[in-house]
Amino acid sequence: MSFRFFALLFLLLFLLSGRVFAQSNTQTVRGTVIDADTHQPVFGAAIAVVNSAPTLAATTDDEGRFSMSGVPTGRVDVRVRAMGYADLLMPNLLVVSGKESVLQLTLEPAATEIKAHEVTSTRGKGEQRNDMATVSARRINVEETSRIAGGINDPARMVSTFPGVAGDPTGDNTIVVRGNSPKGVLWRLEGVEIPNPNHFADDGSTGGPINVLNSDMIDNSDFYTGAFAPEYGNAYSAVFDMRLRDGNDEKREYTLKAGVLGTDLTAEGPINGVAGGSYLANYRYSSLALLDKAGIVDYQGVPNYTDASFKVKVPTGKLGTFSLFGVGGRSDIEQEDRGVTDDTLFARSDFASRMGVVGLTHTRTIGERSYLYSVVTMSGNGSSTDYGEAPAPGESEVEQRFRNDMARWTLRFSSTLNTKLSADHKLRSGIIVSSERYRLSGASWDPSLGRMVTELGSSGDAATVQAFSSWKWRWSERWSMTSGVHLLHYTLNHATAVEPRAAVRWQQRPDQAFTLGLGLHSRTESIMTYQVEVPDAQGTLVRPNQDLGLTRAAHAVVGYERMLAEDLQLKAEAYCQHQFDVPVENDPHSAFSLGNMSGWYTTKALVNRGVGRTYGIEGSLEKFFTHGYHFMVTASLCDAKYRPLDGSWYNARYNMGVVANALVGREWKLGPAGKDRTLLTGFRYSVIGGQYSTPIDLQASIAAGEQKEMGTPWSVKGAAVHKLDLVVSYRVGRPKVTHEVKADVQNVLNAQTAVYHYYDDRTQTIKSVPQLAMLPVLQYTLRF
């Protein structure tokens, strides 16, 4: 019923949006241009729309600001030139009638001023924002995310199109990078670590069904898959480095979205009396929850979630620029298992999660060669679960079998000094201090004792101190090197890691480059892992893992890049990762490794004596969006294994082998010239190698009343998952207003490959969890 309701709503809006005025729509493109090394405004930079007639151009003032009015809506190429800097080309910038295009552009100093205009920066074509990152780095373009089939405006889902990255076929946006556990992923916002920003997220995990961060709030961001730059710590798998965009500082604008996944409103505009000041805010609520409350849908297990985010920017002149920002979300779901006939209660569960962060950033230039960027944040996150089972079929009440309630509050401070020592040398150094308070409560049913047994029951505090220094040396137009060190110290277990890192880039010719990156990396485990409690021989609760150390890894990456044409890029990387100090069970007969878990915790006693090794090769062929279409083909092959205390090598759970994607998108201009009507179509076909598992012993499981395994651990390879996604959208521009209707359909063929298997004691059978069924995500967007 909900699908029919939205379909009728979107059809009505579609028809209403069809009437457009005869004249061509135009919009203003404006922004600021700054030096990438010093953050000083670039005066006299020339900005122009390529091949515009009449010429559309502007020049930056002494504050680096520029403005071009009368830019026709649609896609345009914007070029920026300034003496002493490499040219910057922004291809296919989308200009819409309902929203000004406000750009924050950074120019890279040229190696030699004489040849400054002979070099064109490719950062507008997918390169990362952070120039200290040399290998395994990708830029997340927000506008690109909106037109990728299966992306549903979620950056976490969009990165699963990158080589070496696999999404969760069951529907979460959890990602597996180069055979590593998802728990090794680090989320950052505005330059500091944040809690997992996903709804319905378990504590200790890094993914979830729906991202708390709305795509209308996010600026272009970076994603890293290995050999990270020295400034990134507490990660060994991948890093999401996200930024919130600034609001429009001259004009009030609004965006309304109504769709299957949520209904939300975004507002932005200038702050009266503050030159250059702006605000940006968004609020979203679950559409299904709204329909449930209105009586339009009626079924048990409706997911409830809501989130909000904001950013307020206040420039103050000599004191620098301050920004206050915040992100937060809450989600919960109640479910009942009533069997096939829906008339017998077997189990009931209630799950809720929450996260939030509020922070203040400060950017200040120091002299003509340095700037200081500082952030202070307060964050909180937690989750709670209450699960019970009916003591006998038909009972109306359930007996508790599992419960937990976990909460963390973290105060963080980060400060980074960037200094341009000379035209060839750049230094970046910083410190990050985190102070954490936690409260943990959890218990599960012990059938042998016939009662609930406490597993978590503590509160306390811990602190993390990180420091780094990174030096970039451009010793010629073709060669550059980044080297540095990262320090991580965790007070809870008194663990310290000193991590040297280095990377080299050789621009062998203008269209071809070779890269090499090396480094050590480490990460703390979930606070639950350290604080889990188990009874000893005397029945006293002890914490066997409170002194567990850091999980560590050494990364080596060699890469090749080739521009086959102005809009066609080939990339390839080969990598090797050596994991050490991996937590494994302190039992010479056990094959348990914490690296095979995606989150949560274990009651097993662990030691940092496991090792792992991962080898792989990956590549991508990408045509950037030009001439109305784009495509990308990616493929990766990896082999991941580990060795616990029993001395044998086993397949890692996430040793998926082959992961591949092929995606294409096309824009069609409809109607006569001057009509602002665009149809977008696209598809994505994905192949994800199956995960490994251990065979389930059905008879032993029936006898024990819980899942029991047999045979060689992690010896069963799951079937490869195939998935076809489609996206279709129709955008209509009117003066000052843009309408868009979009359908993003996941798993169009409704494939049902089994992803996981588990033992169900109620039916005493082995059951499977299939990939996410066909899911049409419909959305209407109004910008004005």
Side-chain angles (χ1 to χ4, degrees), residues 572-611:
E573 286 190 337
Y575 60 87
C576 171
Q577 297 181 359
H578 170 64
Q579 297 92 19
F580 58 101
D581 292 348
V582 177
V584 295
E585 185 173 8
N586 190 17
D587 181 349
H589 304 291
S590 172
F592 178 85
S593 170
L594 204 61
N596 290 325
M597 297 181 65
S598 61
W600 210 232
Y601 65 92
T602 178
T603 57
K604 300 180 185 294
L606 306 174
V607 291
N608 292 103
R609 294 174 56 189
V611 296

Side-chain angles (χ1 to χ4, degrees), residues 49 68 84 149 252 262 365 385 418 432 481 503 544 568 587 674 758 766:
V49 175
M68 293 184 295
R252 286 183 171 82
T365 56
T385 305
N418 297 263
I432 308 166
M481 179 182 73
L568 186 62
D587 181 349
Y758 68 96
I766 297 175

Side-chain angles (χ1 to χ4, degrees), residues 242-305:
M242 300 181 297
R243 298 281 176 172
L244 297 176
R245 67 179 180 88
D246 295 334
N248 193 322
D249 60 358
E250 293 185 3
K251 180 182 177 182
R252 286 183 171 82
E253 296 176 332
Y254 305 90
T255 300
L256 173 66
K257 289 183 178 179
V260 172
L261 294 184
T263 301
D264 66 270
L265 175 66
T266 303
E268 59 185 295
I271 300 176
N272 294 333
V274 180
S278 65
Y279 68 86
L280 173 67
N282 171 272
Y283 178 77
R284 177 174 59 178
Y285 197 86
S286 165
S287 294
L288 289 178
L290 287 173
L291 295 175
D292 180 54
K293 292 179 178 180
I296 299 176
V297 298
D298 183 20
Y299 62 90
Q300 69 93 14
V302 172
N304 293 280
Y305 56 89

Side-chain angles (χ1 to χ4, degrees), residues 201-204 333 335 346-352 382-390 398-406 440-447 450-457 528 532-533 597 599-603 706:
D202 285 329
D203 200 70
I333 184 170
Q335 293 179 303
F346 292 99
R348 180 184 294 126
S349 66
D350 184 0
F351 176 78
S383 64
S384 62
T385 305
D386 193 348
Y387 172 77
E389 297 179 349
V398 297
E399 293 181 352
Q400 194 173 59
R401 291 292 183 264
F402 179 80
R403 63 168 175 81
N404 74 71
D405 187 4
M406 307 171 190
L440 309 175
S441 173
S444 63
W445 180 262
D446 188 327
R451 61 180 175 83
M452 297 287 287
V453 176
T454 298
E455 295 176 343
L456 293 167
M528 298 181 298
V532 68
E533 299 175 349
M597 297 181 65
W600 210 232
Y601 65 92
T602 178
T603 57
E706 61 182 0

Side-chain angles (χ1 to χ4, degrees), residues 29-97:
V29 176
R30 60 184 183 83
T32 57
V33 180
I34 62 174
D35 185 298
D37 291 345
T38 66
H39 273 214
Q40 295 280 359
V42 177
F43 171 73
I47 299 92
V49 175
V50 179
N51 298 326
S52 58
T55 300
L56 295 171
T59 304
T60 56
D61 58 20
D62 56 359
E63 294 183 347
R65 291 175 170 267
F66 70 92
S67 180
M68 293 184 295
S69 58
V71 178
T73 56
R75 295 191 179 271
V76 297
D77 295 342
V78 176
R79 185 183 298 275
V80 185
R81 286 182 167 177
M83 183 61 66
Y85 295 90
D87 287 4
L88 173 64
L89 177 65
M90 294 193 64
N92 288 281
L93 174 69
L94 179 61
V95 180
V96 297
S97 57

Side-chain angles (χ1 to χ4, degrees), residues 41 80 86 109 117 314 325 330 333 368-369 387 621 637 650 660 688 756 784:
V80 185
H117 292 319
V314 181
F325 69 94
R330 299 180 65 91
I333 184 170
E368 296 182 353
R369 291 184 174 270
Y387 172 77
L621 178 65
L637 175 65
Y650 301 100
I688 304 173
Y756 311 110
F784 58 100

Side-chain angles (χ1 to χ4, degrees), residues 498-565:
V498 179
E499 304 162 355
R501 304 172 190 178
V504 177
R505 181 181 179 88
W506 177 34
Q507 193 73 41
Q508 190 258 341
R509 62 190 195 194
D511 63 348
Q512 182 170 275
F514 297 86
T515 57
L516 173 67
L518 305 167
L520 294 179
H521 311 277
S522 60
R523 183 169 173 83
T524 60
E525 298 296 339
S526 165
I527 191 68
M528 298 181 298
T529 299
Y530 298 112
Q531 297 298 309
V532 68
E533 299 175 349
V534 296
D536 62 11
Q538 289 73 40
T540 304
L541 290 178
V542 296
R543 297 172 186 163
N545 302 324
Q546 62 181 355
D547 295 323
L548 194 67
L550 305 172
T551 300
R552 308 193 65 189
H555 291 189
V557 181
V558 59
Y560 172 74
E561 301 174 12
R562 175 73 182 273
M563 293 299 300
L564 302 176

